[in-house]
Amino acid sequence: WLWTLSCSASPAISQKKRRMNKILRYSLAVLFIGLGLYFLLPLVIGVRHIGMFAPAAVFGIFAWILLRPQKVKTLLTGRHRALWRTLLALFAAGLMCVDVILGLMVRQAVNRPESDAPCTVLVLGCEIRGLRPSKMLQARIDSAYAYLTADPRAVCVACGGMADDEIITEARCIRDELVRRGIDPGRIYLEEKSLNTRQNISYAADIIRAKGLPTEVAVASDNFHQLRAAVYARGSGLEAQSLGCRSYWLLGPGYWAREVIAVAAAWAFGR
């Protein structure tokens, strides 16, 4: 569609239509450049990962197609047209795969637990600062707290070990915050060995089986995280539903993009 729009101008089209076509192309190009820059905003706070740079590159390609339509036409009809058409087809196929994965991520994020079904809450670990949770971890704790308050029968596994720059485990930080807000500590089990999402789920599954807890789990984590957590849960003999929470606006888009790659890797390699 972008290429058709970019190359639609021809001598047969009136001057007015050519002018409107150019305005539309340039407006869309500015929009795509703006979206690319938005994904790069976390650089101002020192955050950098592939989920920021890959979308920025894609939007940059869209903008280039719109700004250089004759160059695109030359590449697709010139001497090496077979190569460029193949690359364009692969690019389009990749974007379709991204769309499918994003759709599945959204579907899992809204897959909430049934109100009357016994469920074990899993709070997935995240960065802590001193003895306090980060904004992302606080949102996960809030989500777990709301569910545990609404269902007094539910129990919780707090997940997360201790990174090199942390002074307590993420699991203990989660437990302390829930207890401070009134949750009975007897309802909270600690998983303090894990260093990543896959280990969060795997080690929590060991606790669930050892304690005879429900294998239906509700994952308290960011919405973007829910599909990969469900993939790992299924591999550990658990059935996961979502206690998803929104991500910080500055970081959320990049994390959603990065998670697409992580989900694909989880399916392909079990990582």
Side-chain angles (χ1 to χ4, degrees), residues 118-120 153 155 157 189 204-217 238:
C119 205
T120 302
R153 303 168 302 166
V155 296
V157 179
Y189 298 86
D206 293 339
I207 293 174
I208 287 171
R209 283 189 287 268
K211 302 296 183 179
L213 305 178
T215 56
E216 295 281 338
V217 299
L238 306 176

Side-chain angles (χ1 to χ4, degrees), residues 61-225:
I61 291 171
F62 285 163
W64 181 78
I65 290 173
L66 289 164
L67 294 173
R68 300 293 301 276
Q70 294 306 317
K71 179 65 175 179
V72 175
K73 184 176 181 180
T74 299
L75 291 174
L76 295 179
T77 59
R79 180 178 177 183
H80 301 293
R81 59 184 177 276
L83 172 63
W84 288 105
R85 289 180 181 182
T86 300
L87 291 175
L88 181 61
L90 291 174
F91 180 67
L95 291 180
M96 290 179 62
C97 290
V98 169
D99 287 342
V100 170
I101 294 175
L102 283 173
L104 294 173
M105 289 168 63
V106 171
R107 186 177 72 173
Q108 182 62 30
V110 300
N111 180 27
R112 310 289 291 188
E114 297 291 339
S115 58
D116 59 346
C119 205
T120 302
V121 177
L122 299 187
V123 189
L124 301 190
C126 191
E127 178 187 9
I128 60 176
R129 294 167 183 170
L131 300 177
R132 302 292 296 167
S134 62
K135 286 185 177 181
M136 289 185 72
L137 184 56
Q138 186 63 58
R140 299 178 187 191
I141 294 171
D142 291 345
S143 183
Y145 173 77
Y147 187 88
L148 292 168
T149 302
D151 185 355
R153 303 168 302 166
V155 296
C156 169
V157 179
C159 303
M162 186 167 61
D164 293 338
D165 59 347
E166 295 173 342
I167 59 176
I168 62 171
T169 65
E170 295 165 4
R172 192 165 298 273
C173 178
I174 294 166
R175 193 273 308 271
D176 291 348
E177 184 68 13
L178 289 172
V179 171
R180 185 184 67 81
R181 296 173 67 174
I183 301 299
D184 182 352
R187 298 170 65 190
I188 306 170
Y189 298 86
L190 296 184
E191 180 287 294
E192 300 183 274
K193 300 185 298 180
S194 61
L195 299 175
N196 55 50
T197 302
R198 181 176 58 81
Q199 291 178 359
N200 282 172
I201 302 293
S202 176
Y203 297 160
D206 293 339
I207 293 174
I208 287 171
R209 283 189 287 268
K211 302 296 183 179
L213 305 178
T215 56
E216 295 281 338
V217 299
V219 179
S221 187
D222 296 75
N223 284 318
F224 68 77
H225 216 180

